[in-house]
Amino acid sequence: MASTAPLVVRASPLRRLQKELFGSRLDGLISIALLAALLAAGLGFFRWALFQAQWAVLSANSTLFAVGRYPVEQQWRLWLLTSLLALATGLSWGLLRAFPGSGAVRALWPRNDRWAASILVVLALWRPMALQLTLAIQARWWGIAALLLLARWAAGRYGPAIPQACRRLIPLFWPLLYLVGMVLISGGLGLVQVPPSEWGGLLLTVLMATFAILLCFPLGVLLALGRRSELPLLRWGSVIYIEFIRGAPLITLLFLGQNILGFLLPGGLAPDRVWRAAWVLTFFAAAYVAEAVRSGLAAVPAGQLEAARSLGLPMPLALIHVMLPQAIRVALPATVGQFITLLQDTTVLSLIGLLDLVGTARTVMANPMFLGKNAEVYLVLAILFWTCCAALGLGSRALETRLNTHSPSAPQA
Amino acid sequence: MTSSPALMIEARGVEKWYPNGFHALRGVDLYVHQGEVVVIMGPSGSGKSTFLRTFNAMEDFQKGSIVVDGIEISDDLRRIDAIRREVGMVFQQFNLFPHLSVLDNLTLAPVKVRKRPKAEVERQALELLERVGIAEQAHKFPGQLSGGQQQRVAIARSLCMEPRIMLFDEPTSALDPEMVQEVLAVMQELARDGMTMVVVSHEVRFARQVASRVVLMADGEVVEVAPPQQFFTNPQHERSKQFLSQIS
Ligand SMILES: Nc1ncnc2c1ncn2[C@@H]1O[C@H](COP(=O)(O)OP(=O)(O)OP(=O)(O)O)[C@@H](O)[C@H]1O
Ligand SMILES: [Mg+2]
């Protein structure tokens, strides 16, 4: 077939654009009208952003948006945590490049990485200045960005020299960091307690989202397995749970959770409004993750389980080593989609009175000094959420390609 | 009698109904001694797969008894796992694990179930792959292999558990004709090394050369059991003659 197919001559991009936009007279008219509308909207936006918008509402409240009413004298703990996060991110990033999936070429700074690093540098230099932060704080951000890039470089350069035995411990760094982070944020182990009611802004949003994302996944997998279980009690329990949660709006569950979770969970787990909300988010997302994983399990051919069982693998091992790896690979895009939804759902927390990013925005705008500055604030929030979701999406796609280079085949028929 | 080979499979009066009420096995008997190769033939839907799968407790049954390598099959889960460790099974569709490399396909069960050291199992796995003629593919993934190669990996995967009995359910039916021979050759060598085998297959040449006995099943019953020479040249039952005329 390849030999008979006509050679396609690749037109220059400009030519292609011309052909696509102005192929026929009607196409041309539509294109011109749309371009004009776009241009007008763009000009209007820039006029507003440059001359009318008053960004002081953000710079004046930058701490509030970042961490809420977290006590000033304890904020060094958050700086420490941010530095640790930057270190871990840089190291992981570098190690991923040091050990690319089989077949990929190892390069210290691939093109995409150079782009990412440049964006990081620009952001670190420009953003703190744009927010008119004090020089001391600007310097901290520069330091953190430098730390990240340095770790990235060191891990990429010296990662391959790490002995095999130590390498397997590296992924444990992240859960460990999560625990350290929780202690740093909430206190204990000799640190002053900072109650959750004083967490706010980006800190609260990110905390809620990561807590729910980390826990809803294992919970969702268990529910999906429960739904396929042969034990009727387990199966029906899972079905009822999943269908109930998926049939109820999140906001009703959040209000419900504030009232009943105190009785449902052991006292220490849901002591206050913030933690109750976190659990509701987790339980809510778990039902959707369960459905994604269930469709993944259904996509695994029946012969896989038979083969595993006939080799003498007991059911739990067959699930862990044969069924789930294949099912989760299929379920990955839908699951990450659910994580993205979850991140956006955290904004609902403002409706039950928590001061997440949106909650903070509402209190700021209630202040007479900043009355009517909705557009500025919500535009920035939208961009912030979009960035996080885009990063999640990119990460999931990178993971998918990495998994696919590991086994280039689709499951056999 | 002087030491006759041990009885490896002893199935007496096995009856099975599927949950929908279908009577798939209607009182079948089969005795397989150590080192024997029994080939089961019969028309589609006659219950060959169902019968074969009762030997490693992949299918349950309602009446009769089956003793495999001295272990009676019952609902006791521990015994079922014990039996599955002793009995290897090869499927029509290969059923290799697509997310694991060929080598990991082989080592998964011995490492996780028998708890043997990984390095030792890998050495054995490479030897087995050598034996079935695909050692150089050890680090590829199943999807990168041809059907014949995949089926040989599947055989090696079962052998890696060091089973005492091997069950084959139409191991060459899903293969392109030019790949059938390479799989049969591996099975033939396995038989020569003294493995006890029960094979559902319609490969007449293989049955003639390798089988100790041929079993003909029809409508959930064993119709005829005979040495291959006799079965193919002088079948005793009307149903056998009819079946042989259909496949030749
Ligand atoms: N899960 C099931 N539920 C109900 N009936 C079944 C089930 N599995 C198989 N059967 C029926 O039991 C009979 C025997 O099936 P079996 O798969 O053992 O036949 P077979 O001899 O292996 O046939 P083939 O040569 O097509 O593989 C068939 O009539 C089939 O329709
Ligand atoms: Mg069959």
Side-chain angles (χ1 to χ4, degrees), chain B residues 102-129:
Chain B
V102 165
L103 192 61
D104 290 341
N105 263 276
L106 266 68
T107 57
L108 177 67
V111 170
K112 298 294 174 195
V113 179
R114 290 215 195 268
K115 306 265 186 282
R116 293 171 49 198
K118 177 134 191 181
E120 176 199 312
V121 179
E122 279 189 356
R123 257 200 314 283
Q124 184 199 0
L126 286 172
E127 274 171 31
L128 280 169
L129 288 173

mmCIF file of all heavy atoms in Angstrom, chain B residues 102-129:
data_model
loop_
_atom_site.group_PDB
_atom_site.id
_atom_site.type_symbol
_atom_site.label_atom_id
_atom_site.label_comp_id
_atom_site.label_asym_id
_atom_site.label_seq_id
_atom_site.Cartn_x
_atom_site.Cartn_y
_atom_site.Cartn_z
ATOM 1 N N VAL B 102 8.652 -11.411 28.903
ATOM 2 C CA VAL B 102 8.612 -12.867 28.814
ATOM 3 C C VAL B 102 9.215 -13.489 30.074
ATOM 4 O O VAL B 102 8.634 -14.382 30.699
ATOM 5 C CB VAL B 102 9.370 -13.326 27.556
ATOM 6 C CG1 VAL B 102 9.660 -14.815 27.612
ATOM 7 C CG2 VAL B 102 8.554 -12.988 26.314
ATOM 8 N N LEU B 103 10.351 -12.965 30.476
ATOM 9 C CA LEU B 103 11.026 -13.525 31.656
ATOM 10 C C LEU B 103 10.153 -13.374 32.906
ATOM 11 O O LEU B 103 10.010 -14.311 33.696
ATOM 12 C CB LEU B 103 12.369 -12.813 31.847
ATOM 13 C CG LEU B 103 13.327 -13.453 32.839
ATOM 14 C CD1 LEU B 103 13.693 -14.856 32.405
ATOM 15 C CD2 LEU B 103 14.586 -12.615 32.964
ATOM 16 N N ASP B 104 9.543 -12.204 33.054
ATOM 17 C CA ASP B 104 8.700 -11.989 34.234
ATOM 18 C C ASP B 104 7.444 -12.845 34.197
ATOM 19 O O ASP B 104 6.904 -13.223 35.238
ATOM 20 C CB ASP B 104 8.316 -10.505 34.349
ATOM 21 C CG ASP B 104 9.516 -9.644 34.714
ATOM 22 O OD1 ASP B 104 10.504 -10.221 35.211
ATOM 23 O OD2 ASP B 104 9.475 -8.426 34.492
ATOM 24 N N ASN B 105 6.935 -13.138 32.986
ATOM 25 C CA ASN B 105 5.817 -14.069 32.872
ATOM 26 C C ASN B 105 6.179 -15.409 33.499
ATOM 27 O O ASN B 105 5.368 -16.024 34.180
ATOM 28 C CB ASN B 105 5.453 -14.284 31.400
ATOM 29 C CG ASN B 105 4.303 -13.409 30.948
ATOM 30 O OD1 ASN B 105 3.159 -13.750 31.136
ATOM 31 N ND2 ASN B 105 4.632 -12.255 30.375
ATOM 32 N N LEU B 106 7.423 -15.832 33.253
ATOM 33 C CA LEU B 106 7.844 -17.135 33.762
ATOM 34 C C LEU B 106 8.104 -17.108 35.266
ATOM 35 O O LEU B 106 7.785 -18.054 35.977
ATOM 36 C CB LEU B 106 9.119 -17.601 33.037
ATOM 37 C CG LEU B 106 8.910 -18.510 31.830
ATOM 38 C CD1 LEU B 106 8.245 -17.745 30.715
ATOM 39 C CD2 LEU B 106 10.224 -19.111 31.368
ATOM 40 N N THR B 107 8.697 -16.012 35.747
ATOM 41 C CA THR B 107 9.163 -16.029 37.138
ATOM 42 C C THR B 107 8.088 -15.617 38.133
ATOM 43 O O THR B 107 8.230 -15.883 39.329
ATOM 44 C CB THR B 107 10.371 -15.083 37.323
ATOM 45 O OG1 THR B 107 9.992 -13.772 36.919
ATOM 46 C CG2 THR B 107 11.548 -15.552 36.493
ATOM 47 N N LEU B 108 7.002 -14.981 37.660
ATOM 48 C CA LEU B 108 6.009 -14.444 38.597
ATOM 49 C C LEU B 108 5.528 -15.487 39.603
ATOM 50 O O LEU B 108 5.657 -15.309 40.817
ATOM 51 C CB LEU B 108 4.817 -13.874 37.819
ATOM 52 C CG LEU B 108 3.665 -13.347 38.678
ATOM 53 C CD1 LEU B 108 4.097 -12.126 39.458
ATOM 54 C CD2 LEU B 108 2.447 -13.002 37.831
ATOM 55 N N ALA B 109 4.978 -16.592 39.098
ATOM 56 C CA ALA B 109 4.379 -17.573 40.014
ATOM 57 C C ALA B 109 5.414 -18.284 40.896
ATOM 58 O O ALA B 109 5.203 -18.387 42.104
ATOM 59 C CB ALA B 109 3.550 -18.587 39.224
ATOM 60 N N PRO B 110 6.534 -18.756 40.339
ATOM 61 C CA PRO B 110 7.500 -19.413 41.227
ATOM 62 C C PRO B 110 7.986 -18.502 42.359
ATOM 63 O O PRO B 110 8.149 -18.947 43.485
ATOM 64 C CB PRO B 110 8.658 -19.775 40.285
ATOM 65 C CG PRO B 110 8.048 -19.845 38.945
ATOM 66 C CD PRO B 110 6.935 -18.844 38.933
ATOM 67 N N VAL B 111 8.176 -17.199 42.041
ATOM 68 C CA VAL B 111 8.669 -16.289 43.071
ATOM 69 C C VAL B 111 7.572 -15.972 44.083
ATOM 70 O O VAL B 111 7.787 -15.992 45.292
ATOM 71 C CB VAL B 111 9.216 -14.995 42.434
ATOM 72 C CG1 VAL B 111 9.494 -13.956 43.502
ATOM 73 C CG2 VAL B 111 10.480 -15.295 41.637
ATOM 74 N N LYS B 112 6.361 -15.680 43.584
ATOM 75 C CA LYS B 112 5.304 -15.232 44.490
ATOM 76 C C LYS B 112 4.615 -16.397 45.200
ATOM 77 O O LYS B 112 4.159 -16.248 46.319
ATOM 78 C CB LYS B 112 4.254 -14.423 43.721
ATOM 79 C CG LYS B 112 4.776 -13.169 43.079
ATOM 80 C CD LYS B 112 5.210 -12.148 44.099
ATOM 81 C CE LYS B 112 5.873 -10.972 43.409
ATOM 82 N NZ LYS B 112 6.622 -10.133 44.327
ATOM 83 N N VAL B 113 4.478 -17.533 44.528
ATOM 84 C CA VAL B 113 3.737 -18.643 45.119
ATOM 85 C C VAL B 113 4.667 -19.614 45.824
ATOM 86 O O VAL B 113 4.451 -19.978 46.974
ATOM 87 C CB VAL B 113 2.919 -19.385 44.045
ATOM 88 C CG1 VAL B 113 2.165 -20.550 44.668
ATOM 89 C CG2 VAL B 113 1.949 -18.421 43.384
ATOM 90 N N ARG B 114 5.716 -20.034 45.146
ATOM 91 C CA ARG B 114 6.637 -20.986 45.772
ATOM 92 C C ARG B 114 7.687 -20.292 46.627
ATOM 93 O O ARG B 114 8.488 -20.944 47.285
ATOM 94 C CB ARG B 114 7.321 -21.829 44.701
ATOM 95 C CG ARG B 114 6.404 -22.816 44.009
ATOM 96 C CD ARG B 114 7.166 -24.082 43.670
ATOM 97 N NE ARG B 114 6.458 -24.904 42.707
ATOM 98 C CZ ARG B 114 5.612 -25.866 43.056
ATOM 99 N NH1 ARG B 114 5.363 -26.110 44.331
ATOM 100 N NH2 ARG B 114 5.026 -26.587 42.125
ATOM 101 N N LYS B 115 7.730 -18.952 46.544
ATOM 102 C CA LYS B 115 8.659 -18.167 47.364
ATOM 103 C C LYS B 115 10.112 -18.563 47.135
ATOM 104 O O LYS B 115 10.897 -18.655 48.070
ATOM 105 C CB LYS B 115 8.319 -18.319 48.853
ATOM 106 C CG LYS B 115 6.884 -18.001 49.194
ATOM 107 C CD LYS B 115 6.742 -16.557 49.664
ATOM 108 C CE LYS B 115 5.355 -16.239 50.140
ATOM 109 N NZ LYS B 115 4.386 -16.018 49.078
ATOM 110 N N ARG B 116 10.432 -18.821 45.878
ATOM 111 C CA ARG B 116 11.828 -19.162 45.586
ATOM 112 C C ARG B 116 12.610 -17.893 45.279
ATOM 113 O O ARG B 116 12.034 -16.893 44.848
ATOM 114 C CB ARG B 116 11.874 -20.114 44.387
ATOM 115 C CG ARG B 116 11.262 -21.478 44.695
ATOM 116 C CD ARG B 116 11.117 -22.303 43.447
ATOM 117 N NE ARG B 116 12.342 -22.323 42.663
ATOM 118 C CZ ARG B 116 12.396 -22.673 41.377
ATOM 119 N NH1 ARG B 116 11.298 -23.017 40.748
ATOM 120 N NH2 ARG B 116 13.534 -22.667 40.736
ATOM 121 N N PRO B 117 13.927 -17.907 45.508
ATOM 122 C CA PRO B 117 14.724 -16.704 45.240
ATOM 123 C C PRO B 117 14.697 -16.330 43.763
ATOM 124 O O PRO B 117 14.787 -17.194 42.886
ATOM 125 C CB PRO B 117 16.140 -17.084 45.672
ATOM 126 C CG PRO B 117 16.109 -18.511 46.035
ATOM 127 C CD PRO B 117 14.717 -19.001 46.068
ATOM 128 N N LYS B 118 14.569 -15.037 43.509
ATOM 129 C CA LYS B 118 14.353 -14.562 42.145
ATOM 130 C C LYS B 118 15.497 -14.948 41.200
ATOM 131 O O LYS B 118 15.266 -15.366 40.066
ATOM 132 C CB LYS B 118 14.173 -13.045 42.168
ATOM 133 C CG LYS B 118 14.020 -12.448 40.792
ATOM 134 C CD LYS B 118 12.891 -11.461 40.727
ATOM 135 C CE LYS B 118 12.649 -11.118 39.274
ATOM 136 N NZ LYS B 118 11.625 -10.186 39.004
ATOM 137 N N ALA B 119 16.719 -14.801 41.671
ATOM 138 C CA ALA B 119 17.868 -15.060 40.788
ATOM 139 C C ALA B 119 17.862 -16.518 40.332
ATOM 140 O O ALA B 119 18.085 -16.818 39.154
ATOM 141 C CB ALA B 119 19.171 -14.729 41.512
ATOM 142 N N GLU B 120 17.569 -17.400 41.266
ATOM 143 C CA GLU B 120 17.552 -18.823 40.929
ATOM 144 C C GLU B 120 16.447 -19.129 39.909
ATOM 145 O O GLU B 120 16.665 -19.846 38.929
ATOM 146 C CB GLU B 120 17.333 -19.618 42.225
ATOM 147 C CG GLU B 120 17.196 -21.113 42.040
ATOM 148 C CD GLU B 120 16.523 -21.756 43.254
ATOM 149 O OE1 GLU B 120 16.943 -21.450 44.389
ATOM 150 O OE2 GLU B 120 15.576 -22.535 43.057
ATOM 151 N N VAL B 121 15.258 -18.537 40.138
ATOM 152 C CA VAL B 121 14.148 -18.772 39.213
ATOM 153 C C VAL B 121 14.492 -18.236 37.825
ATOM 154 O O VAL B 121 14.164 -18.849 36.813
ATOM 155 C CB VAL B 121 12.848 -18.134 39.736
ATOM 156 C CG1 VAL B 121 11.717 -18.360 38.767
ATOM 157 C CG2 VAL B 121 12.484 -18.697 41.094
ATOM 158 N N GLU B 122 15.161 -17.079 37.791
ATOM 159 C CA GLU B 122 15.497 -16.504 36.483
ATOM 160 C C GLU B 122 16.447 -17.412 35.712
ATOM 161 O O GLU B 122 16.309 -17.581 34.501
ATOM 162 C CB GLU B 122 16.106 -15.111 36.668
ATOM 163 C CG GLU B 122 15.040 -14.054 36.879
ATOM 164 C CD GLU B 122 15.583 -12.642 36.852
ATOM 165 O OE1 GLU B 122 16.817 -12.473 36.737
ATOM 166 O OE2 GLU B 122 14.760 -11.710 36.941
ATOM 167 N N ARG B 123 17.397 -17.999 36.432
ATOM 168 C CA ARG B 123 18.296 -18.948 35.757
ATOM 169 C C ARG B 123 17.509 -20.099 35.156
ATOM 170 O O ARG B 123 17.679 -20.465 33.995
ATOM 171 C CB ARG B 123 19.335 -19.485 36.759
ATOM 172 C CG ARG B 123 20.716 -18.861 36.613
ATOM 173 C CD ARG B 123 21.790 -19.715 37.255
ATOM 174 N NE ARG B 123 21.467 -20.203 38.579
ATOM 175 C CZ ARG B 123 21.528 -19.468 39.692
ATOM 176 N NH1 ARG B 123 21.890 -18.201 39.610
ATOM 177 N NH2 ARG B 123 21.237 -19.988 40.864
ATOM 178 N N GLN B 124 16.587 -20.642 35.970
ATOM 179 C CA GLN B 124 15.788 -21.763 35.494
ATOM 180 C C GLN B 124 14.909 -21.333 34.317
ATOM 181 O O GLN B 124 14.765 -22.069 33.335
ATOM 182 C CB GLN B 124 14.918 -22.289 36.632
ATOM 183 C CG GLN B 124 14.130 -23.523 36.251
ATOM 184 C CD GLN B 124 12.963 -23.752 37.190
ATOM 185 O OE1 GLN B 124 12.734 -22.988 38.126
ATOM 186 N NE2 GLN B 124 12.213 -24.814 36.926
ATOM 187 N N ALA B 125 14.339 -20.123 34.419
ATOM 188 C CA ALA B 125 13.463 -19.637 33.356
ATOM 189 C C ALA B 125 14.235 -19.527 32.045
ATOM 190 O O ALA B 125 13.736 -19.912 30.979
ATOM 191 C CB ALA B 125 12.868 -18.292 33.745
ATOM 192 N N LEU B 126 15.467 -19.021 32.111
ATOM 193 C CA LEU B 126 16.260 -18.887 30.884
ATOM 194 C C LEU B 126 16.566 -20.267 30.295
ATOM 195 O O LEU B 126 16.528 -20.448 29.071
ATOM 196 C CB LEU B 126 17.544 -18.116 31.170
ATOM 197 C CG LEU B 126 17.308 -16.614 31.382
ATOM 198 C CD1 LEU B 126 18.571 -15.929 31.864
ATOM 199 C CD2 LEU B 126 16.796 -15.974 30.091
ATOM 200 N N GLU B 127 16.824 -21.237 31.161
ATOM 201 C CA GLU B 127 17.045 -22.604 30.668
ATOM 202 C C GLU B 127 15.806 -23.124 29.942
ATOM 203 O O GLU B 127 15.896 -23.731 28.873
ATOM 204 C CB GLU B 127 17.362 -23.536 31.837
ATOM 205 C CG GLU B 127 18.836 -23.563 32.233
ATOM 206 C CD GLU B 127 19.024 -24.328 33.538
ATOM 207 O OE1 GLU B 127 18.237 -25.272 33.793
ATOM 208 O OE2 GLU B 127 19.932 -23.960 34.284
ATOM 209 N N LEU B 128 14.634 -22.870 30.560
ATOM 210 C CA LEU B 128 13.385 -23.346 29.953
ATOM 211 C C LEU B 128 13.146 -22.667 28.612
ATOM 212 O O LEU B 128 12.734 -23.315 27.641
ATOM 213 C CB LEU B 128 12.208 -23.079 30.886
ATOM 214 C CG LEU B 128 12.041 -24.082 32.017
ATOM 215 C CD1 LEU B 128 11.030 -23.578 33.040
ATOM 216 C CD2 LEU B 128 11.583 -25.425 31.448
ATOM 217 N N LEU B 129 13.407 -21.353 28.560
ATOM 218 C CA LEU B 129 13.210 -20.637 27.300
ATOM 219 C C LEU B 129 14.159 -21.194 26.238
ATOM 220 O O LEU B 129 13.799 -21.308 25.066
ATOM 221 C CB LEU B 129 13.434 -19.139 27.502
ATOM 222 C CG LEU B 129 12.324 -18.436 28.284
ATOM 223 C CD1 LEU B 129 12.703 -16.994 28.583
ATOM 224 C CD2 LEU B 129 11.014 -18.488 27.506
#
